[in-house]
Protein backbone atom coordinates (compact mmCIF):
# COMPACT_ATOMS: atom_id res chain seq x y z
CA UNK A 1 0.00 0.00 0.00
CA UNK A 2 2.85 2.40 0.80
CA UNK A 3 4.43 1.70 -2.59
CA UNK A 4 1.22 2.80 -4.23
CA UNK A 5 1.05 5.87 -1.99
CA UNK A 6 4.64 6.75 -2.93
CA UNK A 7 3.69 6.41 -6.58
CA UNK A 8 0.70 8.73 -6.11
CA UNK A 9 2.63 11.28 -4.05
CA UNK A 10 4.24 13.38 -6.81
CA UNK A 11 1.09 13.83 -8.95
CA UNK A 12 -0.90 14.64 -5.82
CA UNK A 13 1.70 17.21 -4.75
CA UNK A 14 1.69 18.75 -8.23
CA UNK A 15 -2.09 19.12 -8.29
CA UNK A 16 -2.10 20.53 -4.75
CA UNK A 17 0.58 23.06 -5.69
CA UNK A 18 -1.36 24.03 -8.81
CA UNK A 19 -4.48 24.69 -6.77
CA UNK A 20 -2.51 26.80 -4.31
CA UNK A 21 -0.88 28.79 -7.13
CA UNK A 22 -4.27 29.51 -8.68
CA UNK A 23 -5.54 30.71 -5.32
CA UNK A 24 -2.44 32.88 -4.82
CA UNK A 25 -2.56 34.35 -8.31
CA UNK A 26 -5.87 36.11 -7.63
CA UNK A 27 -4.45 38.06 -4.68
CA UNK A 28 -3.83 41.54 -6.13
CA UNK A 29 -1.26 42.84 -3.64
CA UNK A 30 1.01 39.84 -4.05
CA UNK A 31 2.37 40.93 -7.43
CA UNK A 32 3.64 44.27 -6.14
CA UNK A 33 6.78 43.05 -4.34
CA UNK A 34 8.97 40.21 -5.51
CA UNK A 35 10.30 39.21 -2.10
CA UNK A 36 6.85 38.85 -0.57
CA UNK A 37 5.59 36.89 -3.57
CA UNK A 38 8.62 34.60 -3.60
CA UNK A 39 8.22 33.83 0.09
CA UNK A 40 4.53 33.08 -0.33
CA UNK A 41 5.08 30.83 -3.36
CA UNK A 42 7.94 28.95 -1.69
CA UNK A 43 5.80 28.37 1.37
CA UNK A 44 2.96 27.22 -0.90
CA UNK A 45 5.32 24.65 -2.41
CA UNK A 46 6.25 23.40 1.06
CA UNK A 47 2.62 23.34 2.14
CA UNK A 48 1.66 21.35 -0.92
CA UNK A 49 4.28 18.72 -0.08
CA UNK A 50 2.97 18.44 3.47
CA UNK A 51 -0.67 18.26 2.37
CA UNK A 52 0.13 15.70 -0.34
CA UNK A 53 1.29 13.06 2.15
CA UNK A 54 -2.14 12.19 3.60
CA UNK A 55 -3.85 12.86 0.27
CA UNK A 56 -1.55 10.39 -1.49
CA UNK A 57 -2.44 7.76 1.09
CA UNK A 58 -6.14 8.37 0.44
CA UNK A 59 -5.62 8.23 -3.31
CA UNK A 60 -3.70 4.96 -2.96
CA UNK A 61 -6.50 3.56 -0.84
CA UNK A 62 -9.00 4.45 -3.57
CA UNK A 63 -6.79 2.82 -6.22
CA UNK A 64 -6.99 -0.57 -4.55
CA UNK A 65 -9.55 -3.08 -5.68
CA UNK A 66 -12.41 -4.06 -3.43
CA UNK A 67 -10.73 -7.39 -2.65
CA UNK A 68 -7.41 -5.77 -1.72
CA UNK A 69 -9.20 -3.31 0.58
CA UNK A 70 -10.99 -6.17 2.32
CA UNK A 71 -7.69 -7.99 2.83
CA UNK A 72 -6.05 -4.88 4.27
CA UNK A 73 -8.97 -4.29 6.63
CA UNK A 74 -8.92 -7.91 7.77
CA UNK A 75 -5.19 -7.78 8.45
CA UNK A 76 -5.45 -4.49 10.37
CA UNK A 77 -8.38 -5.54 12.52
Amino acid sequence: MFKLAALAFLPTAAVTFGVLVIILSVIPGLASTFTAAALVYYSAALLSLVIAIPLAYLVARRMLTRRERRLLDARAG
Side-chain angles (χ1 to χ4, degrees), residues 3-75:
K3 290 179 185 178
L4 196 56
L7 185 66
F9 174 73
L10 281 179
T12 307
V15 169
T16 307
F17 180 67
V19 169
L20 288 173
V21 164
I22 289 172
I23 292 170
L24 290 176
S25 66
V26 297
I27 298 174
L30 200 57
S32 61
T33 60
F34 176 77
T35 55
L39 181 67
V40 170
Y41 280 103
Y42 287 143
S43 56
L46 253 162
L47 182 65
S48 70
L49 290 176
V50 170
I51 290 174
I53 293 170
L55 286 179
Y57 183 78
L58 292 174
V59 167
R61 182 95 174 144
R62 294 287 298 182
M63 289 172 69
L64 295 175
T65 63
R66 194 176 298 157
R67 180 180 174 276
E68 290 169 334
R69 263 185 258 143
R70 249 185 304 148
L71 288 173
L72 273 175
D73 290 339
R75 192 180 328 164

